[in-house]
Amino acid sequence: MLLLLALPALAQSSPGSDPTLWPEPQRAFFQDGPGLLLSEEERDEILGVDEAGRARVIRDFLARDPIPATPENELAEGIRRRLRLVLGELPSPRDARGQLLFLRGRPAERLVVDCGVAFKPLEIWTYPGADGAPREIILY
C-alpha cells in the first residue's frame, strides 16, 4: 500500500535529478563543495536539466570572474584552494565538517569532544564573528 502511494512522487522526479548518477565531474561539482555556492535557483536549475545542461550551468558558473582585470579567475582559484584544504584535512568533503571547511575555511579553534559519556562524538569550531567576537559552531 505504501509503495503505491509513493509511485506518483517517484514518477514526478526527473531522471537526471539524482546527482549520484551524474558523470563524476558534475557530481563532484554539485556535492563536494562548489555546489554549496549556487543560489537556490541555480541548484533547482542544475537538478532539472540534462547532462549537457548541467555542463553549461557549471561552465557558466565557473566562468564568473569576480575581478576580471586580473589575469586569473579568483572564483575558480578559490574553489581549488578550498577543495585542497578540505581534502587535506578530511576523508570526504561531503560531511558537515567538509562543507563548513569549504565555506568558512579553517576555524580559529577546533575542540574535539570524543569520550565515553558523549552519545556521539562532536566538535566545536570557533570562528571570529563580524564584530570580532568568537562564534562557536557545534558539529555532531
Side-chain angles (χ1 to χ4, degrees), residues 7-128:
L7 285 177
L10 292 173
Q12 291 175 0
S13 66
S14 65
S17 65
D18 182 359
T20 61
L21 301 176
W22 296 354
E24 180 56 20
Q26 293 180 359
R27 186 222 50 84
F29 174 88
F30 190 74
Q31 293 184 320
D32 293 351
L36 297 170
L37 302 174
L38 297 173
S39 68
E40 186 175 342
E41 293 80 21
E42 290 168 322
R43 289 181 69 79
D44 290 343
E45 179 183 5
I46 202 168
L47 286 168
V49 295
D50 62 6
E51 185 176 335
R54 287 191 300 272
R56 178 191 46 79
V57 171
I58 292 169
R59 184 179 53 254
D60 291 350
F61 179 82
L62 293 176
R64 294 178 192 169
D65 189 353
I67 309 171
T70 60
E72 68 270 340
N73 179 327
E74 290 78 16
L75 174 63
E77 179 59 27
I79 288 171
R80 282 191 293 275
R81 286 181 180 182
R82 287 296 174 95
L83 286 173
R84 278 195 310 268
L85 172 66
V86 172
L87 295 173
E89 293 196 18
L90 298 169
S92 170
R94 293 182 63 190
D95 72 10
R97 295 173 304 163
Q99 293 173 359
L100 187 58
L101 200 56
F102 181 85
L103 291 172
R104 302 282 311 262
R106 278 195 183 96
E109 186 177 335
R110 187 182 300 179
L111 173 66
V112 178
V113 179
D114 189 11
C115 67
V117 178
F119 178 67
K120 288 190 174 198
L122 62 95
E123 296 183 20
I124 302 171
W125 289 18
T126 305
Y127 288 95

